[in-house]
Amino acid sequence: MSEIIGKAKRAKEITYQLASLSTIQKNEALQVMASALESDSDAILSANAVDVENGRAAGQTKTLLDRLTLTDSRIRDMADGLRQVAELADPIGDTIQTIDRPNGLRIEKKRVPLGVIGIIYEARPNVTVDAAGLCLKTGNAVILRGSSTAIHSNRQIVQCLQVALNQVGFPKEAIQLIEDTSREAASELFTLNEYLDVLIPRGGASLIKTVVEKASVPVLETGVGNCHVFIDESADVEMARSIAINAKTQRPSVCNAAETLLIHRKWADNHLPTLLTDLHEHGVELFGEEELLTWDSQATIAKEHDWAEEYLDLKLAVKFVDSTEDAMDHIRTYGTKHSEAIVSETAEHVQDFLNGVDAAAVYHNASTRFTDGFEFGFGAEIGISTQKLHARGPMGLEALTSTKFMIFGEGQIKP
């Protein structure tokens, strides 16, 4: 029996036990897990240092190394994330709908766990903790398959969390890590329909595309973030500058960072030089059509792929448009239905944009950087869904539940 089948089989066996846990029991476990992370921080940082050094030696980019690197502060944030999940309302057992039928039957629709959740993700050790916490709170067993670049970090984190589970009498198999990081192991995970109830990919476009195309297990698709900020002709100057800079530079390595700036030509005629100065001062490299070069000699002519690129870096595509409709047309062509923003003081343009742009999150006068489970009040998140079935946007606790109908009768039989 392979490692994956063995761990998935054990996860399936304990789903009934996890589904029956009380909210008090789950919250206690989350609190103990949080404290364990902080207590084990030295060991976690030592393991992470190995991954970071290996990544540096392999020539990983600065942004990928940033995603991979843990610090004392980031470990405290992960622990605090678990505590925040403990404070959230438990959706399991909630009655969503009650139907009283003429024949006396009472039908209740309730939230229940999904069962066994597989998560395949790249070099972000914080995902290990977020996923474990959210799955535990919702009574799900989780099978984690991180990348080889973070294997030492993930192994130490999962070991720490499993020790904490044992301390509160939970089966450690509620949180399991697949240590085989080969492509063959991933492919095996894709087809474990007998044991997995859902598979969630979290990473770059290539990973997500591979999982969606090859998995027979139902997939909850998280999305690539080619996000846009549109500066309308009526945009407040200081607000537009602040939002554009924040959306691009606050943390460029994440999926809700802006990758393309759409600027109304009338706004550009009056205010563009100052914005370009701001971007250059933050070290942003610009790509655009020849028109941009008349404003900025340092810019690079954009190729077709630049409009669709998720840079995850201090790089930004810039395009000039003549209307809100032009901006929306560009987003329809190149957007990934993740997060899109308009900066405008014209109510009609704002409503056209909010209603006409197909994305999980659409903003008016705010940075795209807020598309996040914590910022939405969900605590940690399992990812950002850009699909439309089951869940969309930041996926918190409710996204990790299904429903069950419970029917109560008094001897009724079908006539």
Side-chain angles (χ1 to χ4, degrees):
M1 182 183 297
S2 71
E3 176 199 6
I4 290 180
I5 291 179
K7 289 182 174 178
K9 184 174 184 293
R10 180 58 180 145
K12 193 70 172 181
E13 289 170 351
I14 65 168
T15 53
Y16 308 103
Q17 182 179 347
L18 295 178
S20 65
L21 293 171
S22 70
T23 301
I24 292 175
Q25 289 174 305
K26 292 185 287 188
N27 288 346
E28 179 189 3
L30 289 165
Q31 295 287 357
V32 174
M33 288 161 58
S35 296
L37 284 175
E38 293 172 333
S39 298
D40 204 31
S41 61
D42 287 345
I44 294 171
L45 290 174
S46 294
N48 181 249
V50 176
D51 289 329
V52 172
E53 182 55 37
N54 289 344
R56 191 174 287 114
Q60 286 189 11
T61 65
K62 182 178 178 181
T63 53
L64 288 178
L65 287 174
D66 174 62
R67 288 184 169 208
L68 176 61
T69 301
L70 294 177
T71 63
D72 282 321
S73 175
R74 288 185 178 181
I75 291 175
R76 284 195 301 272
D77 288 344
M78 292 190 299
D80 287 343
L82 291 177
R83 295 185 178 105
Q84 289 163 9
V85 172
E87 293 173 359
L88 295 173
D90 185 353
I92 300 302
D94 281 353
T95 300
I96 302 170
Q97 185 180 16
T98 300
I99 306 169
D100 291 312
R101 299 297 298 148
N103 62 3
L105 286 178
R106 184 178 183 83
I107 303 171
E108 294 183 1
K109 185 178 183 181
K110 291 182 175 289
R111 289 197 184 278
V112 296
L114 287 169
V116 180
I117 298 175
I119 301 178
I120 181 167
Y121 54 108
E122 295 176 337
R124 297 184 67 175
N126 65 297
V127 173
T128 304
V129 177
D130 290 348
L134 289 170
C135 288
L136 185 70
K137 178 81 176 199
T138 47
N140 294 294
V142 63
I143 303 291
L144 300 160
R145 196 277 188 181
S147 69
S148 59
T149 52
I151 185 61
H152 297 88
S153 307
N154 290 336
R155 186 186 293 131
Q156 187 62 44
I157 290 171
V158 170
Q159 179 182 321
C160 169
L161 297 179
Q162 288 182 332
V163 169
L165 290 179
N166 280 337
Q167 289 178 11
V168 295
F170 282 25
K172 69 176 184 179
E173 294 86 358
I175 303 168
Q176 298 183 87
L177 175 71
I178 301 302
E179 297 192 26
D180 183 347
T181 59
S182 67
R183 291 179 181 271
E184 292 75 18
S187 296
E188 187 176 9
L189 193 65
F190 295 166
T191 57
L192 285 184
N193 297 63
E194 183 178 354
Y195 302 114
L196 294 187
D197 293 284
V198 67
L199 183 61
I200 302 174
R202 184 167 176 180
S206 177
L207 170 66
I208 295 169
K209 182 174 185 290
T210 298
V211 174
V212 170
E213 290 180 350
K214 295 186 176 181
S216 58
V217 175
V219 175
L220 245 179
E221 182 180 350
T222 61
V224 175
N226 182 24
C227 306
H228 300 73
V229 173
F230 168 46
I231 299 178
D232 190 23
E233 62 180 304
S234 64
D236 177 86
V237 177
E238 292 305 316
M239 182 187 295
R241 290 169 57 190
S242 175
I243 289 173
I245 294 299
N246 180 267
K248 177 70 265 182
T249 71
Q250 196 270 337
R251 194 176 180 192
S253 64
V254 293
C255 63
N256 58 21
E259 306 293 14
T260 299
L261 186 61
L262 303 172
I263 307 175
H264 197 290
R265 284 189 172 87
K266 290 183 179 179
W267 191 94
D269 288 342
N270 296 313
H271 311 297
L272 184 59
T274 305
L275 176 56
L276 293 176
T277 299
D278 291 341
L279 290 166
H280 285 303
E281 286 179 351
H282 282 81
V284 179
E285 182 181 355
L286 302 180
F287 299 81
E289 297 167 323
E290 288 190 11
E291 183 178 355
L292 178 62
L293 270 67
T294 64
W295 291 94
D296 182 7
S297 61
Q298 300 178 58
T300 300
I301 292 292
K303 297 180 174 60
E304 177 64 21
H305 69 82
D306 287 308
W307 305 117
E309 189 73 24
E310 186 185 30
Y311 291 113
L312 303 175
D313 201 350
L314 286 173
K315 297 180 179 181
L316 183 68
V318 178
K319 184 177 181 63
F320 300 103
V321 297
D322 290 314
S323 67
T324 304
E325 187 59 43
D326 286 349
M328 292 193 295
D329 281 343
H330 183 92
I331 292 170
R332 291 180 190 122
T333 302
Y334 298 103
T336 54
K337 301 184 179 182
H338 192 293
S339 301
E340 311 292 357
I342 179 174
V343 186
S344 175
E345 299 302 316
T346 305
E348 182 181 355
H349 295 174
V350 171
Q351 285 306 310
D352 287 346
F353 189 91
L354 297 181
N355 294 330
V357 170
D358 183 11
V362 190
Y363 291 83
H364 172 222
N365 288 352
S367 170
T368 58
R369 286 285 289 112
F370 288 101
T371 306
D372 174 83
F374 175 77
E375 296 292 348
F376 280 26
F378 302 159
E381 68 179 36
I382 209 74
I384 310 293
S385 170
T386 54
Q387 64 186 38
K388 295 183 179 180
L389 293 179
H390 180 70
R392 198 178 195 197
M395 294 188 291
L397 296 174
E398 288 189 2
L400 300 182
T401 67
S402 183
T403 58
K404 177 190 289 186
F405 287 99
M406 298 183 181
I407 301 92
F408 303 90
E410 298 173 333
Q412 290 92 333
I413 59 173
K414 181 76 173 179

